[in-house]
């Protein structure tokens, strides 16, 4: 008796091979590394606008980022943007709020308005704007006090940094309220007292101002004559900065060395891939640091891998470098986990 198969044996074997391949592709592939389902992108960090923080004589705006997880008494970092910048653009490109979320510190952005300055520059060159307890300086002080009260900030861990006009305002803040800050950083900024109006500010930015180290120091001592100790400060500047002359960085270094009574010849210089780092110690603590960035222009140096939270926004004053200023500041300020 003969049996007739509906299909040949070779056809059956081919069908079994096809079935095996389908099973391997759909059922067995996870064991050999099938691509995982793509994760949803994390939510973009949003800075909150705060009103009612004080009398606000400088008519500034206040932006704040408070991470969901932080210690009972978190640190506070104050960031001052440069001309034509906004806190949102500055933050998106620098990644500071992403670092705040990771490390658990509160982030404060004072913001200049076009009503105060058409280019949104802080008015660091106007005596009325940077006088003690007046103008823009007082507005920033009120923002800090408000944030400290609202979020139980550790007042021994308040830090300030600024870029360009924001760096110049940082100089004025530290000179006027030195006991308020545990550390400061000036990026492509100006020394205190470099100008008294818009025209002299432009000249100083372009060519610098010729003064002796003692004269630069006297400008700070006049503002806070009874101050004995000063927060550690770092000055950052690119050798190819075409907006603010490099001589202004040297003047800032001389200013803070003179204030601290530190001999300029006592600095120790180390060659780095990105340029030179010179540090001056006082009582075994690095008091003044100068980051001279070789071939670097006008802006904040940020390494690509440090740009957590970056969006598609573009800021011409946040520049790629082989050193990350945000990460370096967190390290020297002891904020990085």
């Amino acid at each position: 008796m003969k049996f007739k198969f509906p299909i040949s044996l070779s056809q059956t074997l081919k069908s079994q091979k096809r079935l095996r391949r389908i099973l391997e592709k759909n059922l067995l592939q996870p064991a050999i590394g099938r691509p995982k389902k793509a994760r949803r992108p994390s939510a973009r960090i949003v800075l909150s606008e705060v009103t009612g923080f004080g009398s606000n004589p400088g008519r500034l705006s206040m932006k704040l980022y408070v991470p969901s997880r932080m210690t009972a008494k978190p640190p506070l970092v104050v960031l001052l943007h440069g001309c034509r910048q906004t806190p949102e653009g500055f933050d998106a490109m620098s990644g500071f709020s992403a670092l705040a979320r990771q490390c658990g510190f509160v982030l404060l952005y004072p913001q200049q308005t076009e009503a105060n300055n058409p280019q949104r520059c802080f008015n660091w060159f106007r005596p009325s704007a940077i006088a003690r307890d007046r103008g823009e300086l007082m507005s920033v002080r009120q923002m800090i006090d408000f944030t400290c009260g609202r979020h139980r900030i550790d007042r021994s861990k308040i830090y300030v940094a600024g870029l360009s006009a924001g760096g110049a305002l940082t100089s004025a803040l530290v000179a006027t309220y030195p006991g308020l800050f545990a550390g400061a950083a000036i990026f492509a900024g100006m020394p205190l007292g470099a100008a008294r109006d818009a025209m002299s500010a432009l000249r100083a930015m372009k060519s610098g101002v010729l003064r002796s180290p003692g004269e630069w120091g006297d400008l700070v001592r006049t503002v806070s004559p009874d101050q004995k100790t000063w927060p550690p400060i770092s000055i950052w500047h690119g050798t190819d900065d075409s907006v603010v002359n490099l001589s202004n960085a040297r003047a800032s270094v001389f200013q803070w060395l003179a204030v601290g009574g530190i001999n300029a010849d006592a600095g120790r210089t180390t060659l780095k891939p990105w340029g030179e780092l010179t540090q001056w110690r006082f009582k075994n603590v690095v008091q003044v640091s100068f980051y001279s960035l070789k071939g670097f222009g006008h802006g904040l140096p940020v390494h690509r891998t440090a740009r957590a939270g970056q969006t598609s926004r573009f800021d011409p004053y946040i520049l790629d470098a082989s050193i990350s200023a945000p990460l370096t500041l967190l390290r020297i300020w002891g904020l990085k986990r």
Side-chain angles (χ1 to χ4, degrees):
M1 184 175 182
K2 294 182 179 179
F3 293 94
K4 293 184 178 181
F5 294 97
I7 58 175
S8 67
L9 181 60
S10 62
Q11 289 176 319
T12 302
L13 292 175
K14 289 180 180 179
S15 298
Q16 289 177 343
K17 288 181 179 179
R18 284 199 298 269
L19 179 60
R20 188 186 308 113
R21 285 196 296 268
I22 292 172
L23 290 172
E24 288 176 348
K25 181 178 180 180
N26 290 280
L27 299 177
L28 303 179
Q29 195 174 12
I32 59 175
R34 179 168 36 162
K36 295 181 180 179
K37 186 178 180 180
R39 295 180 179 180
R40 290 184 178 181
S42 57
R44 182 171 64 88
I45 293 176
V46 177
L47 305 178
S48 301
E49 184 166 3
V50 179
T51 58
F53 56 83
S55 60
N56 192 17
R59 297 178 301 171
L60 302 179
S61 298
M62 176 181 175
K63 301 291 179 66
L64 200 66
Y65 174 69
V66 181
S68 57
R69 295 182 181 180
M70 53 187 181
T71 61
K73 298 185 69 176
L76 173 65
V77 174
V78 183
L79 294 176
L80 298 159
H81 64 77
C83 299
R84 296 191 294 276
Q85 288 184 310
T86 63
E88 288 79 8
F90 187 103
D91 186 75
M93 290 296 289
S94 67
F96 263 109
S97 60
L99 293 172
R101 179 172 57 186
Q102 294 170 16
C103 302
F105 60 85
V106 177
L107 192 61
L108 167 61
Y109 278 102
Q111 181 177 9
Q112 183 60 286
T113 64
E114 291 185 0
N116 283 349
N117 188 297
Q119 300 298 318
R120 297 195 300 274
C121 307
F122 290 108
N123 293 303
W124 58 271
F125 47 84
R126 293 181 182 171
S128 61
I130 61 169
R132 182 183 297 274
D133 298 340
R134 292 179 59 192
E136 294 175 14
L137 226 57
M138 185 58 177
S139 291
V140 177
R141 175 66 190 263
Q142 289 178 342
M143 294 178 195
I144 293 172
D145 289 340
F146 177 89
T147 306
C148 287
R150 176 65 63 88
H151 299 288
R152 299 180 180 180
I153 298 297
D154 184 343
R155 286 188 173 269
S156 69
K157 295 181 180 180
I158 301 175
Y159 305 89
V160 61
L163 169 63
S164 193
L169 197 68
T170 296
S171 297
L173 277 166
V174 177
T176 307
Y177 305 115
L180 184 62
F181 302 105
I186 300 170
F187 295 91
M190 304 289 293
L192 178 73
R196 294 187 62 83
D197 53 41
M199 291 303 297
S200 61
L202 290 174
R203 288 194 298 270
M205 290 167 60
K206 182 178 180 180
S207 305
V209 178
L210 186 60
R211 287 194 178 101
S212 69
E215 289 172 331
W216 283 118
D218 288 341
L219 290 169
V220 175
R221 284 188 285 260
T222 299
V223 174
S224 298
D226 299 325
Q227 188 70 24
K228 303 300 180 184
T229 60
W230 303 86
I233 191 164
S234 61
I235 293 95
W236 301 62
H237 216 103
T239 60
D240 287 358
D241 191 328
S242 60
V243 178
V244 177
N245 193 291
L246 180 61
S247 64
N248 290 294
R250 299 190 184 100
S252 292
V253 170
F254 288 138
Q255 185 165 69
W256 293 106
L257 289 177
V259 166
I262 303 171
N263 189 339
D265 295 332
R268 180 179 179 182
T269 300
T270 306
L271 295 179
K272 300 288 186 179
W274 43 262
E276 294 182 352
L277 170 60
T278 306
Q279 296 179 311
W280 291 264
R281 291 180 175 269
F282 181 73
K283 294 184 178 179
N284 206 33
V285 174
V286 176
Q287 188 66 27
V288 179
S289 301
F290 179 33
Y291 291 77
S292 178
L293 307 170
K294 185 178 180 180
F296 192 76
H298 184 73
L300 179 81
V302 177
H303 196 279
R304 284 185 184 276
T305 58
R307 290 188 179 179
Q310 178 180 347
T311 69
S312 59
R313 301 186 188 198
F314 175 72
D315 190 313
Y317 303 115
I318 308 294
L319 305 177
D320 287 327
S322 58
I323 180 174
S324 167
L327 291 179
T328 301
L329 290 184
L330 297 196
R331 178 180 56 79
I332 64 178
W333 289 345
L335 300 181
K336 190 179 180 206
R337 289 177 180 174

